[in-house]
Amino acid sequence: MKRIIKLIFLMLTLTLNLSCVEKSSADKETYNPELMATSKAETLKFTSGIRAIFQDSKGNYWIGSHNEGVSYYNGKSFEYFTTNEGLSDNQIRSIQEDKNGRIWFGTAKGVSVYDKGTFTNYSTKTNEPIYEWNSTNGDLWFFGVEEGGINRFDGKNMNYLIFPKPVNESPNNSYGVTGISKDKHGKVWIATYGALFSYDSNMVTIFDHKTLKLKDNELLHIRSVLADSKGRIWIGNNGIGVLLMEGNSIINFSDKNNLIHPTSTRRGDKSPPGTLEHVFAIEEDSEGNIWFGDRDTGAWKYDGKALTNYSISDDPTKPMIWTIYKDNKNNLLFGMADGNIFRFNGNVFEQQF
């Protein structure tokens, strides 16, 4: 009888140990794509849209698509990585490089890091959300899968930080992260659909409908944010155009420049040419010009005095600009919804790859 009891106890112990191993490995998985066949091509073949562009410290380009994974370009050929090679998901929302030269991808279903031929994946879902941001550290920030916070990697763990939401918030508000920008002082600016947040390594500040001084008929639906070299904060919205925070001043930049149509619903409806109402991308070029990528009307450049509108895509049904990126040589690259990438050469747009 004692032997039976000892055997049962041993089996329970093994079961508990295995369950603990499974739980810890669920947050981190490693794949080696070098052991698998990855496709190569001489041209970029994405068709679902370009959501992220990044040039690493070695000069190679990493291009993230809307639902076809990642392409790696070494100047000669394109190599493609998808979930088959170990990516968390084929929708790529951000790309960055850490101090050790590892390439990090924020996807729709977690974070993947590529290092010397190996993918390691981190889950961004957690049962232990963190409310005290100062208890964490790290310079790598990622769009959270859950719509109530942001993920921060501390070198070992992926921490999920909860946003301090506004008092008496609307139940319809969503706080899924749509953009991240760091200013010259190291403050992190985080765009979400329902509010803008900033974090200065000490406290989190929220900028909501009331703080941003919006009108009753203006719905906050943020899709992009840029902290520029002059300390200005540009906020791109899907419906009410661009908001500009400069010191204590907050204005609707699109409205001030008559770029919201008089009959606009200021929602997500399609806008006519000559408007700047649905801004999904913002970037600053090497000369200090601010560029906006609009869903319906192409690219806009603001030189501090005047705005210039450019039509980029050859496909008039897909004028949307998903992302604008400044590479290591200060080239401004525009990732389009039709899967193309264009470079502005100072006068016109040229297809990059």
Side-chain angles (χ1 to χ4, degrees):
M1 185 67 178
K2 290 183 178 180
R3 293 181 63 184
I4 294 174
I5 293 174
K6 287 183 178 180
L7 181 60
I8 293 172
F9 178 78
L10 179 61
M11 291 177 67
L12 286 172
T13 303
L14 287 172
T15 302
L16 286 171
N17 287 338
L18 284 172
S19 66
C20 290
V21 171
E22 289 175 358
K23 184 178 186 301
S24 62
S25 63
D27 294 332
K28 181 180 177 181
E29 298 176 315
T30 301
Y31 302 84
N32 190 339
E34 288 184 339
L35 301 178
M36 310 174 191
T38 55
S39 60
K40 293 186 178 181
E42 294 183 356
T43 58
L44 184 63
K45 61 179 184 179
F46 287 148
T47 59
S48 63
I50 308 299
R51 290 196 63 156
I53 305 170
F54 181 77
Q55 187 178 24
D56 64 27
S57 56
K58 297 179 181 179
N60 304 305
Y61 287 94
W62 299 84
I63 302 165
S65 70
H66 182 54
N67 60 31
E68 299 166 274
V70 170
S71 181
Y72 163 79
Y73 181 61
N74 60 7
K76 297 180 180 179
S77 63
F78 295 86
E79 187 170 357
Y80 293 87
F81 299 95
T82 65
T83 52
N84 293 331
E85 286 73 52
L87 274 174
S88 297
D89 190 73
N90 287 332
Q91 184 178 110
I92 309 301
R93 299 179 177 181
S94 65
I95 308 175
Q96 53 190 311
E97 182 177 10
D98 67 19
K99 61 183 180 181
N100 296 314
R102 298 178 298 181
I103 308 301
W104 293 79
F105 306 96
T107 81
K109 295 181 181 178
V111 174
S112 300
V113 56
Y114 184 80
D115 181 28
K116 299 176 182 178
T118 299
F119 274 113
T120 300
N121 294 336
Y122 293 87
S123 173
T124 52
K125 293 184 178 180
T126 179
N127 293 323
E128 299 179 356
I130 297 173
Y131 291 86
E132 182 52 58
W133 290 35
N134 294 341
S135 65
T136 66
N137 56 58
D139 295 325
L140 295 174
W141 299 81
F142 301 95
F143 298 18
V145 172
E146 301 178 38
E147 295 192 354
I150 188 169
N151 289 95
R152 186 185 195 184
F153 187 69
D154 63 10
K156 183 179 180 180
N157 299 308
M158 191 66 66
N159 299 299
Y160 181 63
L161 310 182
I162 296 295
F163 292 130
K165 298 176 184 178
V167 178
N168 300 322
E169 64 165 335
S170 168
N172 297 321
N173 282 349
S174 169
Y175 296 95
V177 176
T178 56
I180 302 170
S181 183
K182 296 179 183 178
D183 66 23
K184 57 185 179 182
H185 301 295
K187 182 183 292 187
V188 181
W189 293 85
I190 304 164
T192 75
Y193 294 111
L196 178 71
F197 296 88
S198 69
Y199 177 61
D200 63 1
S201 297
N202 182 39
M203 65 179 295
V204 183
T205 304
I206 183 171
F207 301 87
D208 58 6
H209 189 282
K210 181 179 180 180
T211 310
L212 294 172
K213 303 176 182 179
L214 300 185
K215 301 174 183 177
D216 291 339
N217 67 331
E218 293 180 322
L219 177 66
L220 196 61
H221 193 260
I222 303 174
R223 293 308 307 248
S224 55
V225 62
L226 172 72
D228 72 13
S229 60
K230 297 180 180 179
R232 298 173 299 187
I233 307 301
W234 301 87
I235 308 164
N237 284 262
N238 183 19
I240 60 174
V242 178
L243 303 178
L244 172 59
M245 295 174 55
E246 190 170 8
N248 295 322
S249 171
I250 301 174
I251 64 168
N252 187 315
F253 181 80
S254 293
D255 215 356
K256 182 179 179 180
N257 288 278
N258 300 313
L259 295 177
I260 295 182
H261 197 271
T263 62
S264 173
T265 63
R266 299 179 182 246
R267 297 291 190 269
D269 300 343
K270 184 175 177 59
S271 297
T275 60
L276 184 61
E277 300 180 352
H278 309 280
V279 181
F280 279 63
I282 311 176
E283 185 56 275
E284 181 177 12
D285 67 21
S286 59
E287 297 178 354
N289 301 310
I290 306 299
W291 289 80
F292 308 103
D294 190 271
R295 188 195 68 186
D296 300 335
T297 62
W300 292 79
K301 181 182 76 172
Y302 176 61
D303 64 5
K305 296 181 180 179
L307 281 147
T308 305
N309 187 203
Y310 299 86
S311 178
I312 303 177
S313 176
D314 295 329
D315 185 350
T317 66
K318 294 184 176 180
M320 179 179 175
I321 299 169
W322 262 121
T323 185
I324 308 174
Y325 176 73
K326 184 169 62 177
D327 71 9
N328 299 345
K329 294 184 178 180
N330 291 323
N331 294 310
L332 216 58
L333 305 178
F334 295 74
M336 309 298 295
D338 62 6
N340 289 310
I341 296 176
F342 290 88
R343 177 176 66 88
F344 185 68
N345 67 8
N347 295 304
V348 295
F349 288 86
E350 301 174 335
Q351 193 157 349
Q352 177 69 1
F353 302 116

